[in-house]
Amino acid sequence: MSMFAGVEMGGTKVMVAFGTGPEDLSAPVRIPTTTPEETLTNVERLIAGAATGARLLGIGVATFGPARLERTAPDWGTLLPTPKPGWGGAVIGPRLADAFGVPVAFETDVNGAAMGEGRWGAARGLGDHVYVTIGTGVGVGLIVNGAPLHGALHPEAGHIKVRRDPARDPFEGCCPFHGDCLEGLVSGPAIAARVGQPGETLSADDPVWDLIADYLAQAMATLTFVTAPERIVIGGGVGSHPAVLLATQRRLAKELNGYMPHLTSDEAIQAYLVRPALGDRSGVLGAIALAQTLFNSSQTTKAPDAPVSRGTPEEHPHDRRQLDG
Amino acid sequence: MSMFAGVEMGGTKVMVAFGTGPEDLSAPVRIPTTTPEETLTNVERLIAGAATGARLLGIGVATFGPARLERTAPDWGTLLPTPKPGWGGAVIGPRLADAFGVPVAFETDVNGAAMGEGRWGAARGLGDHVYVTIGTGVGVGLIVNGAPLHGALHPEAGHIKVRRDPARDPFEGCCPFHGDCLEGLVSGPAIAARVGQPGETLSADDPVWDLIADYLAQAMATLTFVTAPERIVIGGGVGSHPAVLLATQRRLAKELNGYMPHLTSDEAIQAYLVRPALGDRSGVLGAIALAQTLFNSSQTTKAPDAPVSRGTPEEHPHDRRQLDG
């Protein structure tokens, strides 16, 4: 039996699962995120354990950032300076490639989730879509022409500005960099700071949700105008709140005001801004999707009869440009 | 001698030039944009004339929109409903392909300019960059992983919201759809409506330029956070105004506030937000770059000895998916 390992690295926990898709997936195992050494050793143990009973074809990592995604960069597969103590410079991709000798895909958590929802979930079959998560922070992953958008590093679309009316919302935002950017206004901590209790404890008709929907609709309009996606999948504790999603859809129509010709009806907007279909598994499944894509491209760049790469030193996946396509 | 035709279609004029790059380019010929029939007949005459003395390998069109760019769509190469009288539904790509039997690339004007600046200009060698033009309107073209971003249709990033302080700028914007969106605040008509005279007649230290730079910096920060480009090339009458560019660079640094790790120094920002290098030829050159790319991909998808496509009915470029990569 062949399988891929999916590793979703979060700031507080790492989820690891094995398989080839949603119908063939082991129960995700949760590892607390402590030091890089301890955490990655635990990840390696899990993978090694699973690889004794099945053939491991590749590993996908979907990680918190900032992270170096560009495969040709000397520091590919590492984390960049981050507020999370000890994790700046942590070497993840090369370490797993060395340990297991298989291709390793290395992406942001949100690009991973976007790939997962695109392969098997709410954006299935699309090549241009966006995944947005609103929870402790705001993250945005973008797929363009079927591949994750990296750009110079990776997007940080949680930090775009939206308009705030201080008379309606005197809360000045909690982003340490930008104050009342999107994340500073709609993240879980922003909601808790504004109303004095966690969002989870508020009723569905609390007026704060209307405010959140207003900001989210502005942000969804900006994402729509800038990248014209075929669909936006919006998740996370705040993003999938039923009252928030409905109100955001309604307001998004007003923000666009008929300007995007494919998004002029309520039905079109409802099919455009949707909830994730893979629940809390979009991350690990996305990591597996990325590993599969990398594995497949490594196969097509070889002679048909060549053996599967085992990651010998002269051909580490991160040294081979063509795998990045 | 072999050459490509570059056709830049604007709302008031069409520019046509022939060649293979900036060092091998005929003087662009200007055709007024009248009816589709008259205008396209004039374009065809120019191309036919040039093709008598040289081998025409392909045609690139960079057009005003909205336009159907997706090559697999049944209405590929046409304009969608547009305020420009008579042009909604105009068939451009298939008409030129039929007339000349060569591959035809069909893009937005701004994606074309982005390709031109990426191939030969201010973003040379980059695979992820943005071209912004601020003139009569605001247009944004995006290159991601080396290819134009289309998404569901194409971006309309001129219509993103920015923050306006009514005490400082009481002008409520002139966008018929969104009032004070970016285009409604910074386009040439917005400047003229605000100060009562065309921007060209204002001195370089007129306070309106500071206001414009403020809005542009917000917009450049949004583009940076959402798509993380390696560079933004900003042109057009307003965008390349020297006072505006300098002030926008300065304010962009404040908007980002150190959040993007590669854009923390003044030098980095100055190398990041730059003027076009191809002047008013980025459009026609971009169209030629697009035609070249399409031609090259049509060559690599054939057996090495196959003749050049002459666009016989069974293999019109717009019927062949693989040409769209």
Side-chain angles (χ1 to χ4, degrees):
Chain A
M1 205 186 75
S2 299
M3 52 129 200
F4 296 89
V7 181
E8 182 189 13
M9 305 210 36
T12 58
K13 66 174 194 290
V14 179
M15 303 296 284
V16 183
F18 303 94
T20 56
E23 310 300 321
D24 169 35
L25 188 74
S26 70
V29 175
R30 178 194 168 117
I31 296 171
T33 307
T34 57
T35 64
E37 183 51 37
E38 184 178 52
T39 310
L40 295 171
T41 300
N42 283 332
V43 168
E44 284 173 348
R45 267 188 209 139
L46 273 176
I47 298 176
T52 58
R55 182 162 170 235
L56 180 70
L57 298 182
I59 300 171
V61 177
T63 183
F64 64 97
R68 184 67 71 197
L69 310 180
E70 172 53 46
R71 293 192 81 83
T72 58
D75 57 348
W76 169 82
T78 67
L79 294 189
L80 302 183
T82 158
K84 179 132 186 90
W87 282 85
V91 177
I92 301 172
R95 175 173 172 152
L96 294 175
D98 286 346
F100 296 98
V102 295
V104 174
F106 188 75
E107 269 298 339
T108 59
D109 44 8
V110 279
N111 274 350
M115 282 298 284
E117 291 291 336
R119 183 74 52 90
W120 296 298
R124 185 151 43 171
L126 303 182
D128 292 86
H129 58 275
V130 172
Y131 176 88
V132 182
T133 178
I134 325 272
T136 314
V138 177
V140 178
L142 298 98
I143 306 299
V144 173
N145 294 321
L149 183 157
H150 297 164
L153 183 64
H154 44 71
E156 292 285 358
H159 294 270
I160 61 174
K161 264 188 182 170
V162 289
R163 287 187 189 171
R164 176 174 66 90
D165 173 3
R168 182 177 175 211
D169 182 16
F171 180 63
E172 293 183 348
C174 63
C175 172
F177 287 84
H178 314 108
D180 59 353
C181 67
L182 178 67
E183 179 169 301
L185 290 173
V186 308
S187 63
I191 295 172
R194 197 186 270 110
V195 300
Q197 60 187 97
E200 302 88 288
T201 63
L202 299 173
S203 73
D205 59 358
D206 191 284
V208 79
W209 299 123
D210 238 32
L211 196 60
I212 299 302
D214 190 19
Y215 296 133
L216 286 181
Q218 291 187 50
M220 298 306 110
T222 294
L223 292 174
T224 302
F225 286 132
V226 175
T227 69
E230 297 170 280
R231 193 166 295 158
I232 299 178
V233 180
I234 182 168
V238 177
S240 7
H241 190 290
V244 171
L245 180 63
L246 282 170
T248 305
Q249 287 169 334
R250 219 162 33 232
R251 277 152 205 247
L252 176 56
K254 287 193 189 128
E255 292 285 335
L256 299 175
N257 199 21
Y259 198 75
M260 298 303 261
H262 54 299
L263 294 173
T264 51
S265 72
D266 289 349
E267 295 69 29
I269 298 266
Q270 282 156 21
Y272 173 69
L273 184 67
V274 302
R275 214 180 286 275
L278 303 177
D280 57 4
R281 298 189 173 187
S282 56
V284 284
L285 280 168
I288 285 173
L290 290 159
Q292 278 182 341
T293 300
L294 182 61
F295 175 80
N296 290 339
S297 70
S298 76
Q299 296 300 98
T300 57
T301 56
K302 290 170 190 304
D305 296 319
V308 174
S309 163
R310 306 304 296 174
T312 55
E314 20 348 328
E315 56 164 25
H316 273 161
H318 51 285
D319 290 332
R320 285 181 292 153
R321 279 193 94 127
Q322 71 271 28
L323 294 189
D324 200 29
Chain B
M1 202 188 76
S2 300
M3 52 131 201
F4 297 89
V7 182
E8 182 189 12
M9 307 211 34
T12 57
K13 66 175 194 291
V14 179
M15 302 296 284
V16 183
F18 303 93
T20 56
E23 308 302 322
D24 169 34
L25 187 75
S26 70
V29 176
R30 178 194 169 118
I31 297 172
T33 307
T34 57
T35 64
E37 183 51 37
E38 184 178 52
T39 310
L40 295 172
T41 300
N42 284 333
V43 169
E44 284 173 347
R45 267 187 210 139
L46 274 176
I47 298 176
T52 59
R55 182 164 171 232
L56 180 69
L57 298 182
I59 301 170
V61 178
T63 183
F64 65 97
R68 183 68 71 198
L69 310 180
E70 172 54 46
R71 293 190 81 82
T72 58
D75 57 348
W76 169 82
T78 67
L79 293 189
L80 302 184
T82 159
K84 177 130 187 94
W87 282 86
V91 176
I92 302 171
R95 175 174 172 152
L96 294 175
D98 287 345
F100 296 99
V102 296
V104 175
F106 187 76
E107 268 299 337
T108 58
D109 44 8
V110 278
N111 274 350
M115 281 298 284
E117 291 290 337
R119 183 74 52 91
W120 295 298
R124 183 152 45 171
L126 303 182
D128 292 86
H129 58 276
V130 172
Y131 176 88
V132 181
T133 178
I134 326 272
T136 315
V138 177
V140 178
L142 297 98
I143 306 298
V144 172
N145 294 320
L149 183 157
H150 297 162
L153 182 64
H154 44 72
E156 292 285 359
H159 294 269
I160 60 173
K161 265 189 181 169
V162 290
R163 287 187 188 170
R164 175 174 67 91
D165 173 3
R168 183 179 175 209
D169 182 16
F171 179 64
E172 292 183 348
C174 63
C175 172
F177 287 85
H178 314 109
D180 59 353
C181 67
L182 179 66
E183 179 169 300
L185 290 173
V186 307
S187 63
I191 295 172
R194 198 187 270 113
V195 300
Q197 62 186 97
E200 302 87 288
T201 63
L202 299 173
S203 73
D205 58 357
D206 190 285
V208 79
W209 299 124
D210 239 30
L211 196 60
I212 299 302
D214 191 18
Y215 296 134
L216 285 181
Q218 292 186 49
M220 298 306 110
T222 294
L223 291 174
T224 302
F225 285 132
V226 174
T227 69
E230 296 169 280
R231 195 166 295 158
I232 299 177
V233 180
I234 182 167
V238 178
S240 12
H241 190 291
V244 171
L245 181 63
L246 282 170
T248 304
Q249 288 169 334
R250 219 164 31 233
R251 277 151 206 248
L252 176 56
K254 285 190 190 129
E255 292 285 335
L256 299 175
N257 198 21
Y259 199 74
M260 298 303 259
H262 54 297
L263 293 173
T264 51
S265 72
D266 288 350
E267 294 71 29
I269 299 266
Q270 281 155 23
Y272 173 68
L273 183 67
V274 301
R275 218 179 285 274
L278 303 176
D280 58 4
R281 300 189 172 188
S282 56
V284 284
L285 280 168
I288 285 173
L290 289 160
Q292 279 182 340
T293 300
L294 182 62
F295 175 80
N296 290 338
S297 70
S298 77
Q299 296 300 98
T300 57
T301 57
K302 290 172 189 303
D305 294 319
V308 174
S309 163
R310 303 306 296 176
T312 54
E314 15 358 321
E315 54 164 29
H316 273 161
H318 51 286
D319 291 332
R320 286 180 294 152
R321 278 194 94 127
Q322 71 272 25
L323 293 190
D324 199 30

